[in-house]
Amino acid sequence: MNSTVTLNIIRFILLFALQILVFNNMELFNFINPFPYILFILLFPINGNKAFLIICSFILGLGLDMFENSGGVHAAACVILAYYREDLLKFSYGISYEYHTIKITDKISKELFTYLLIGVLLHHTILFGLEIFRFNFIWEILLRTLLTTLFTLILCILIIYLIKPSKK
């Protein structure tokens, strides 16, 4: 098996298991849970198959919905994030991401930070918008989105630093 495929399978299983076992049990202010499982979607190889990514994202979100009994909101948010991932990469890195190999885990640059921030914000906006789905709760949606985005972004950056290959 290809090492990239093996790495993505391990990343999928590990992030899913960590989300279910650890991060779903973490709460900040009794309503903010981090969702670093979306790192699987954000760190998927740039030259990977987009249809495969969307299918894997759906499976990831659906699995999380089954454990959280959340009615499909994670699956919808993951599929939308996977669908718009290429546009987020173009916005963050420019057109050059298609012609050069960008290693996301090399360092935390401003392009990577922008990419992570917009990706996490998009996912959380869709997630909480579908979860609450009432216009008169718009302030609660915005507050939960912003606070959870901040918490998730910090955890994602910490996880990237933990899995970053060492320079030799």
Coordinates of all heavy atoms in Angstrom, one line a residue, residues 104-166:
I104 N 1.6 20.9 4.1 CA 0.8 21.7 5.1 C 1.5 21.5 6.5 O 1.5 22.5 7.2 CB -0.6 21.2 5.2 CG1 -1.3 21.6 3.9 CG2 -1.4 21.8 6.3 CD1 -2.7 21.3 3.7
T105 N 2.1 20.4 6.8 CA 2.7 20.2 8.1 C 4.1 20.7 8.2 O 4.7 20.5 9.3 CB 2.6 18.7 8.5 OG1 3.3 18.0 7.5 CG2 1.2 18.2 8.6
D106 N 4.7 21.4 7.2 CA 6.0 21.9 7.4 C 6.2 23.0 8.4 O 7.0 22.9 9.3 CB 6.5 22.5 6.0 CG 7.0 21.4 5.1 OD1 7.1 20.2 5.5 OD2 7.2 21.7 3.9
K107 N 5.3 24.0 8.4 CA 5.4 25.1 9.4 C 4.0 25.8 9.4 O 3.2 25.6 8.5 CB 6.5 26.1 9.0 CG 6.3 26.8 7.7 CD 7.4 27.8 7.4 CE 7.1 28.4 6.0 NZ 8.0 29.4 5.7
I108 N 3.8 26.5 10.4 CA 2.5 27.3 10.5 C 2.8 28.6 9.9 O 3.4 29.5 10.6 CB 2.1 27.4 12.0 CG1 1.9 26.0 12.6 CG2 0.8 28.2 12.1 CD1 0.7 25.2 12.0
S109 N 2.4 28.8 8.7 CA 2.6 30.1 8.0 C 1.3 30.8 8.0 O 0.3 30.3 8.5 CB 3.1 29.8 6.5 OG 2.1 29.1 5.9
K110 N 1.4 32.1 7.5 CA 0.1 32.9 7.5 C -0.9 32.3 6.5 O -2.1 32.3 6.7 CB 0.4 34.3 7.2 CG 1.0 34.5 5.8 CD 1.3 36.0 5.5 CE 1.9 36.2 4.2 NZ 2.1 37.5 3.8
E111 N -0.4 31.6 5.4 CA -1.3 31.0 4.5 C -2.0 29.8 5.1 O -3.2 29.6 5.0 CB -0.5 30.5 3.2 CG 0.0 31.6 2.4 CD 1.4 32.0 2.8 OE1 2.0 31.4 3.7 OE2 1.9 33.0 2.2
L112 N -1.2 29.0 5.9 CA -1.8 27.8 6.6 C -2.8 28.3 7.6 O -3.9 27.7 7.8 CB -0.7 26.9 7.2 CG -1.2 25.7 8.0 CD1 -2.1 24.8 7.2 CD2 -0.1 25.0 8.6
F113 N -2.4 29.3 8.4 CA -3.3 29.8 9.4 C -4.6 30.3 8.8 O -5.7 30.1 9.3 CB -2.6 30.9 10.2 CG -3.5 31.4 11.4 CD1 -3.6 30.7 12.5 CD2 -4.2 32.6 11.2 CE1 -4.4 31.2 13.6 CE2 -5.0 33.1 12.3 CZ -5.1 32.4 13.4
T114 N -4.5 31.0 7.7 CA -5.7 31.5 7.0 C -6.6 30.4 6.5 O -7.8 30.4 6.7 CB -5.3 32.4 5.8 OG1 -4.5 33.5 6.2 CG2 -6.5 33.0 5.1
Y115 N -5.9 29.4 5.9 CA -6.6 28.2 5.4 C -7.3 27.5 6.6 O -8.5 27.1 6.5 CB -5.6 27.3 4.8 CG -6.1 25.9 4.4 CD1 -7.2 25.8 3.4 CD2 -5.6 24.8 4.9 CE1 -7.6 24.5 3.1 CE2 -6.0 23.5 4.5 CZ -7.1 23.4 3.6 OH -7.5 22.2 3.3
L116 N -6.7 27.3 7.7 CA -7.3 26.6 8.8 C -8.4 27.4 9.4 O -9.5 26.9 9.7 CB -6.2 26.3 9.9 CG -5.2 25.2 9.7 CD1 -4.2 25.2 10.8 CD2 -5.9 23.9 9.5
L117 N -8.2 28.7 9.6 CA -9.2 29.6 10.1 C -10.5 29.6 9.3 O -11.6 29.4 9.8 CB -8.7 31.0 10.3 CG -9.7 32.0 10.8 CD1 -10.0 31.7 12.3 CD2 -9.1 33.4 10.7
I118 N -10.4 29.8 8.0 CA -11.5 29.8 7.2 C -12.2 28.5 7.1 O -13.5 28.4 7.1 CB -11.2 30.4 5.8 CG1 -10.7 31.8 5.9 CG2 -12.4 30.3 4.8 CD1 -10.1 32.4 4.6
G119 N -11.4 27.4 7.0 CA -12.0 26.1 7.0 C -12.8 25.7 8.2 O -13.9 25.2 8.2
V120 N -12.2 26.0 9.4 CA -12.9 25.8 10.7 C -14.1 26.6 10.8 O -15.2 26.2 11.3 CB -11.9 25.9 11.8 CG1 -12.6 25.9 13.2 CG2 -10.8 24.9 11.8
L121 N -14.0 27.9 10.4 CA -15.1 28.8 10.5 C -16.3 28.4 9.6 O -17.4 28.4 10.0 CB -14.7 30.2 10.2 CG -15.6 31.4 10.5 CD1 -15.8 31.4 12.0 CD2 -15.0 32.7 10.0
L122 N -16.0 27.9 8.4 CA -17.0 27.4 7.5 C -17.7 26.2 8.1 O -18.9 26.1 8.1 CB -16.4 27.1 6.1 CG -17.3 26.4 5.1 CD1 -18.4 27.4 4.6 CD2 -16.5 25.9 3.9
H123 N -16.9 25.3 8.6 CA -17.5 24.1 9.1 C -18.4 24.4 10.3 O -19.5 23.9 10.4 CB -16.3 23.1 9.6 CG -16.8 21.9 10.2 ND1 -17.0 21.8 11.6 CD2 -17.2 20.7 9.7 CE1 -17.4 20.6 11.9 NE2 -17.6 19.9 10.8
H124 N -17.9 25.2 11.2 CA -18.7 25.5 12.4 C -19.9 26.3 12.1 O -20.9 26.2 12.8 CB -17.8 26.2 13.5 CG -16.8 25.3 14.1 ND1 -16.6 24.0 13.7 CD2 -15.8 25.5 15.0 CE1 -15.6 23.4 14.4 NE2 -15.1 24.4 15.2
T125 N -19.8 27.2 11.2 CA -21.0 28.0 10.8 C -22.1 27.1 10.3 O -23.3 27.2 10.7 CB -20.6 29.1 9.8 OG1 -19.6 29.9 10.3 CG2 -21.8 29.9 9.4
I126 N -21.8 26.2 9.4 CA -22.7 25.3 8.9 C -23.2 24.4 10.0 O -24.5 24.1 10.1 CB -22.1 24.4 7.7 CG1 -21.6 25.3 6.6 CG2 -23.1 23.3 7.2 CD1 -22.7 26.0 5.9
L127 N -22.3 23.8 10.8 CA -22.7 22.9 11.9 C -23.7 23.5 12.8 O -24.8 23.0 13.1 CB -21.5 22.5 12.6 CG -21.7 21.5 13.8 CD1 -22.0 20.1 13.2 CD2 -20.5 21.5 14.7
F128 N -23.4 24.7 13.4 CA -24.3 25.3 14.4 C -25.5 25.9 13.7 O -26.6 26.0 14.3 CB -23.5 26.4 15.2 CG -22.5 25.7 16.1 CD1 -21.2 26.2 16.0 CD2 -22.8 24.7 16.9 CE1 -20.2 25.6 16.8 CE2 -21.8 24.1 17.7 CZ -20.5 24.5 17.6
G129 N -25.4 26.4 12.5 CA -26.5 26.9 11.8 C -27.6 25.8 11.5 O -28.8 26.0 11.7
L130 N -27.1 24.6 11.2 CA -28.1 23.5 11.0 C -28.5 22.9 12.3 O -29.7 22.4 12.4 CB -27.4 22.4 10.2 CG -27.2 22.7 8.7 CD1 -26.4 21.6 8.0 CD2 -28.5 23.0 8.0
E131 N -27.7 23.0 13.3 CA -28.0 22.4 14.6 C -29.1 23.2 15.3 O -30.1 22.7 15.8 CB -26.8 22.3 15.5 CG -27.1 21.6 16.8 CD -25.8 21.6 17.7 OE1 -24.7 21.3 17.1 OE2 -25.9 21.9 18.9
I132 N -29.0 24.5 15.3 CA -30.0 25.4 16.0 C -31.1 25.7 15.0 O -32.3 25.6 15.4 CB -29.3 26.6 16.5 CG1 -28.2 26.2 17.6 CG2 -30.3 27.6 17.1 CD1 -27.4 27.3 18.1
F133 N -30.8 26.2 13.8 CA -31.8 26.4 12.7 C -33.0 27.2 13.1 O -34.1 27.0 12.7 CB -32.2 25.0 12.2 CG -32.7 25.1 10.7 CD1 -31.8 25.4 9.7 CD2 -34.0 24.9 10.4 CE1 -32.2 25.5 8.4 CE2 -34.4 25.0 9.1 CZ -33.5 25.3 8.1
R134 N -32.7 28.3 13.8 CA -33.8 29.3 14.1 C -33.1 30.7 14.0 O -32.1 30.9 14.6 CB -34.3 29.1 15.5 CG -34.9 27.7 15.8 CD -36.4 27.6 16.0 NE -37.1 28.8 16.3 CZ -37.9 28.9 17.4 NH1 -37.9 28.0 18.3 NH2 -38.6 30.0 17.5
F135 N -33.8 31.5 13.3 CA -33.2 32.9 13.0 C -33.2 33.7 14.3 O -32.3 34.5 14.5 CB -34.0 33.6 11.9 CG -33.3 34.9 11.5 CD1 -32.2 34.8 10.8 CD2 -33.9 36.1 11.9 CE1 -31.5 36.0 10.4 CE2 -33.3 37.3 11.5 CZ -32.1 37.2 10.8
N136 N -34.1 33.5 15.2 CA -34.1 34.3 16.4 C -33.0 33.9 17.4 O -32.8 34.6 18.4 CB -35.5 34.3 17.1 CG -36.0 32.9 17.4 OD1 -35.5 31.9 16.8 ND2 -37.0 32.7 18.3
F137 N -32.3 32.8 17.1 CA -31.1 32.4 17.9 C -29.8 32.8 17.2 O -28.8 32.1 17.4 CB -31.1 30.9 18.2 CG -32.2 30.5 19.2 CD1 -33.2 29.7 18.8 CD2 -32.2 31.1 20.5 CE1 -34.2 29.3 19.7 CE2 -33.2 30.7 21.3 CZ -34.2 29.8 20.9
I138 N -29.8 33.8 16.3 CA -28.6 34.1 15.5 C -27.4 34.5 16.4 O -26.3 34.2 16.1 CB -29.0 35.2 14.5 CG1 -27.8 35.4 13.5 CG2 -29.2 36.6 15.2 CD1 -27.8 34.3 12.5
W139 N -27.7 35.2 17.5 CA -26.6 35.6 18.4 C -25.9 34.4 19.1 O -24.7 34.3 19.2 CB -27.0 36.6 19.4 CG -27.4 37.9 18.7 CD1 -28.6 38.5 18.7 CD2 -26.5 38.8 18.0 NE1 -28.6 39.6 17.9 CE2 -27.3 39.8 17.5 CE3 -25.2 38.7 17.7 CZ2 -26.8 40.9 16.7 CZ3 -24.6 39.8 16.9 CH2 -25.4 40.8 16.5
E140 N -26.8 33.4 19.4 CA -26.2 32.2 20.0 C -25.4 31.4 19.0 O -24.4 30.9 19.3 CB -27.3 31.3 20.6 CG -26.8 30.0 21.2 CD -27.9 29.2 21.8 OE1 -29.0 29.6 21.9 OE2 -27.6 28.0 22.1
I141 N -25.9 31.4 17.7 CA -25.2 30.7 16.7 C -23.8 31.4 16.5 O -22.8 30.7 16.4 CB -26.0 30.7 15.4 CG1 -27.2 29.8 15.5 CG2 -25.2 30.2 14.2 CD1 -28.2 30.0 14.3
L142 N -23.8 32.7 16.4 CA -22.6 33.4 16.2 C -21.6 33.2 17.3 O -20.4 33.0 17.1 CB -22.8 34.9 15.9 CG -23.5 35.2 14.6 CD1 -23.9 36.7 14.6 CD2 -22.6 34.9 13.4
L143 N -22.1 33.3 18.6 CA -21.3 33.2 19.7 C -20.6 31.8 19.8 O -19.4 31.6 20.0 CB -22.0 33.4 21.0 CG -21.3 33.3 22.3 CD1 -20.2 34.4 22.4 CD2 -22.2 33.4 23.5
R144 N -21.5 30.7 19.6 CA -21.0 29.4 19.6 C -20.0 29.1 18.5 O -19.0 28.4 18.7 CB -22.1 28.4 19.5 CG -22.9 28.2 20.8 CD -24.0 27.2 20.7 NE -23.4 25.9 20.8 CZ -24.0 24.8 20.7 NH1 -25.3 24.8 20.5 NH2 -23.4 23.6 20.8
T145 N -20.3 29.7 17.3 CA -19.4 29.5 16.2 C -18.0 30.2 16.5 O -17.0 29.5 16.2 CB -20.0 30.1 14.9 OG1 -21.2 29.5 14.6 CG2 -19.1 30.0 13.7
L146 N -18.0 31.4 16.9 CA -16.7 32.1 17.2 C -15.9 31.4 18.3 O -14.7 31.2 18.2 CB -17.0 33.5 17.5 CG -17.5 34.4 16.3 CD1 -17.8 35.8 16.8 CD2 -16.5 34.4 15.2
L147 N -16.6 31.1 19.4 CA -15.8 30.5 20.5 C -15.3 29.1 20.2 O -14.2 28.7 20.5 CB -16.7 30.5 21.8 CG -17.0 31.9 22.4 CD1 -17.9 31.7 23.6 CD2 -15.7 32.6 22.8
T148 N -16.2 28.3 19.5 CA -15.7 26.9 19.2 C -14.7 27.0 18.1 O -13.8 26.2 18.1 CB -17.0 26.1 18.7 OG1 -18.0 26.2 19.7 CG2 -16.6 24.7 18.5
T149 N -14.8 27.9 17.2 CA -13.7 28.1 16.2 C -12.4 28.4 16.8 O -11.4 27.8 16.4 CB -14.1 29.2 15.2 OG1 -15.3 28.8 14.5 CG2 -13.0 29.4 14.2
L150 N -12.4 29.3 17.8 CA -11.2 29.6 18.5 C -10.6 28.4 19.2 O -9.4 28.1 19.1 CB -11.4 30.8 19.5 CG -10.2 31.3 20.3 CD1 -9.2 31.9 19.3 CD2 -10.7 32.2 21.3
F151 N -11.4 27.7 19.9 CA -11.0 26.5 20.7 C -10.5 25.4 19.7 O -9.4 24.8 19.9 CB -12.1 26.0 21.5 CG -11.8 25.1 22.6 CD1 -10.5 25.0 23.2 CD2 -12.8 24.2 23.1 CE1 -10.2 24.1 24.2 CE2 -12.5 23.3 24.1 CZ -11.2 23.3 24.6
T152 N -11.2 25.2 18.6 CA -10.8 24.2 17.7 C -9.5 24.6 16.9 O -8.7 23.7 16.7 CB -11.9 23.9 16.6 OG1 -13.1 23.5 17.3 CG2 -11.6 22.9 15.6
L153 N -9.4 25.8 16.6 CA -8.2 26.3 15.9 C -7.0 26.1 16.7 O -5.9 25.7 16.2 CB -8.4 27.8 15.5 CG -7.4 28.3 14.5 CD1 -7.4 27.6 13.2 CD2 -7.7 29.8 14.3
I154 N -7.0 26.4 18.0 CA -5.9 26.2 18.9 C -5.5 24.8 19.0 O -4.3 24.4 18.9 CB -6.2 26.8 20.3 CG1 -6.3 28.3 20.2 CG2 -5.2 26.4 21.3 CD1 -6.8 29.0 21.5
L155 N -6.5 23.9 19.1 CA -6.2 22.5 19.2 C -5.7 21.9 17.8 O -4.8 21.1 17.8 CB -7.5 21.7 19.5 CG -7.8 21.6 21.0 CD1 -9.2 21.0 21.2 CD2 -6.7 20.8 21.7
C156 N -6.2 22.4 16.7 CA -5.7 22.0 15.4 C -4.2 22.4 15.2 O -3.4 21.6 14.7 CB -6.5 22.6 14.3 SG -8.1 21.8 14.1
I157 N -3.8 23.6 15.6 CA -2.5 24.0 15.5 C -1.6 23.2 16.5 O -0.5 22.8 16.1 CB -2.3 25.5 15.8 CG1 -3.0 26.3 14.7 CG2 -0.9 25.9 16.0 CD1 -3.1 27.8 14.9
L158 N -2.0 22.9 17.7 CA -1.3 22.0 18.6 C -1.1 20.6 18.0 O 0.0 20.0 18.1 CB -2.0 21.9 19.9 CG -1.9 23.2 20.8 CD1 -2.7 23.0 22.0 CD2 -0.4 23.4 21.2
I159 N -2.1 20.1 17.4 CA -2.0 18.7 16.8 C -1.1 18.8 15.6 O -0.3 17.8 15.4 CB -3.4 18.2 16.3 CG1 -4.3 17.9 17.6 CG2 -3.3 17.0 15.5 CD1 -5.7 17.6 17.3
I160 N -1.1 19.8 14.8 CA -0.2 19.9 13.6 C 1.2 20.0 14.1 O 2.1 19.3 13.6 CB -0.5 21.1 12.8 CG1 -1.8 20.8 12.0 CG2 0.6 21.5 11.8 CD1 -2.3 22.0 11.2
Y161 N 1.5 20.7 15.2 CA 2.8 20.7 15.8 C 3.3 19.4 16.3 O 4.4 19.0 16.3 CB 3.0 21.8 16.9 CG 3.4 23.1 16.3 CD1 2.6 24.3 16.5 CD2 4.6 23.3 15.6 CE1 3.0 25.5 16.0 CE2 5.0 24.5 15.1 CZ 4.2 25.6 15.3 OH 4.6 26.8 14.8
L162 N 2.3 18.6 16.8 CA 2.6 17.3 17.4 C 3.0 16.3 16.3 O 3.8 15.4 16.5 CB 1.5 16.8 18.2 CG 1.3 17.4 19.6 CD1 0.1 16.9 20.3 CD2 2.5 17.2 20.5
I163 N 2.3 16.4 15.1 CA 2.5 15.4 14.0 C 3.5 15.9 13.0 O 3.9 15.2 12.1 CB 1.2 15.1 13.3 CG1 0.6 16.3 12.6 CG2 0.2 14.4 14.3 CD1 -0.6 15.9 11.7
K164 N 4.0 17.1 13.2 CA 5.0 17.7 12.3 C 6.3 16.8 12.2 O 6.8 16.5 13.3 CB 5.3 19.1 12.6 CG 6.3 19.8 11.7 CD 6.4 21.3 12.0 CE 7.0 21.5 13.4 NZ 7.4 22.9 13.6
P165 N 6.7 16.5 11.0 CA 8.0 15.7 11.0 C 9.2 16.5 11.5 O 9.3 17.7 11.3 CB 8.1 15.3 9.5 CG 7.3 16.3 8.8 CD 6.2 16.8 9.7
S166 N 10.1 15.8 12.2 CA 11.2 16.5 12.7 C 12.3 16.8 11.6 O 12.4 16.0 10.7 CB 11.9 15.7 13.8 OG 12.3 14.5 13.3

